[in-house]
């Protein structure tokens, strides 16, 4: 049974064990401008927020302690610079991740090799803002660009290529070599 959201929990200090034990759901929004690491990858100052929800759950395991699972979902629209036309465009980011929290690092490393979901060491308090920022950064495209064709191509004059052409440094050598072949007795 899912319990109602716990609005009084600060997103920077979530007790994962309590969240999972109570099967609680926490949701809210986080201003993108406050996520400094993410803001460094954006084009311009974001004036929007990421909406997020976190659902905790316990999974019973025969002969072992229950597993503590946290499901994070988040959405945001961020301004990025298209690498084709160099104009700003709005990119939708979606995060849908599950995390298994375990007691210690060796167990996390061992399980992380076999599970598709992320395995993390159980913190005293989970900083949801940091986790949210990490996941939004991972959701950024490797090469930001408009979907399909760019609405505005990069402005370029046709004469620019010819005017700025750098002479080939080997052209003079090729000319000398050509003259040597044309000379009689060569």
């Amino acid at each position: 049974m899912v319990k109602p959201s716990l609005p009084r929990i600060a997103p920077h200090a979530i007790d994962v064990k309590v969240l999972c034990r109570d099967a609680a759901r926490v949701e809210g929004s986080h201003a993108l401008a406050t996520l400094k690491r993410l803001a460094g990858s954006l084009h311009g100052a974001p004036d929007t927020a990421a909406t997020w929800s976190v659902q905790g759950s316990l999974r019973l395991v025969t002969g072992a302690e229950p597993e503590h699972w946290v499901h994070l979902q988040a959405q945001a629209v961020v301004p990025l610079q298209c690498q084709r036309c160099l104009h700003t465009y709005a990119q939708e980011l979606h995060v849908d991740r599950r995390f298994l929290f375990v007691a210690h690092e060796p167990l996390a490393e061992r399980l992380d090799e076999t599970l598709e979901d992320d395995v993390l060491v159980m913190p005293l308090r989970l900083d949801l803002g940091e986790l949210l920022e990490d996941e939004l950064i991972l959701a950024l495209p490797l090469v930001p660009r408009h979907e399909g064709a760019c609405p505005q191509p990069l402005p370029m004059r046709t004469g620019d290529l010819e005017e700025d052409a750098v002479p080939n440094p080997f052209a003079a050598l090729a000319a000398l070599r050509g003259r040597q072949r044309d000379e009689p007795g060569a």
Side-chain angles (χ1 to χ4, degrees), residues 10-91:
H12 61 275
I14 291 181
D15 186 330
V16 175
K17 289 183 178 182
V18 171
L19 182 80
C20 295
R21 180 196 67 208
D22 295 346
R25 180 179 180 88
V26 182
E27 49 193 28
S29 64
H30 208 97
L32 293 177
T34 64
L35 304 174
K36 300 300 182 200
R37 291 180 296 129
L38 175 66
S41 298
L42 305 182
H43 193 249
D47 60 353
T48 59
T51 57
W52 54 267
S53 68
V54 172
Q55 176 72 49
S57 64
L58 283 179
R59 289 188 190 162
L60 300 178
V61 178
T62 306
E65 294 289 319
E67 294 178 341
H68 294 83
W69 286 87
V70 172
H71 183 198
L72 169 67
Q73 292 180 306
Q75 299 81 35
V77 177
V78 298
L80 296 177
Q81 183 179 36
C82 175
Q83 297 302 298
R84 286 188 296 219
C85 69
L86 303 179
H87 288 93
T88 303
Y89 77 102
Q91 174 73 49

Side-chain angles (χ1 to χ4, degrees), residues 100 102-117 119-121:
L100 170 62
V102 297
H104 49 80
E105 189 67 36
L107 179 59
E109 288 175 5
R110 191 171 68 244
L111 291 174
D112 200 36
E113 292 175 5
T114 59
L115 294 175
E116 287 185 29
D117 296 310
V119 182
L120 302 173
V121 176

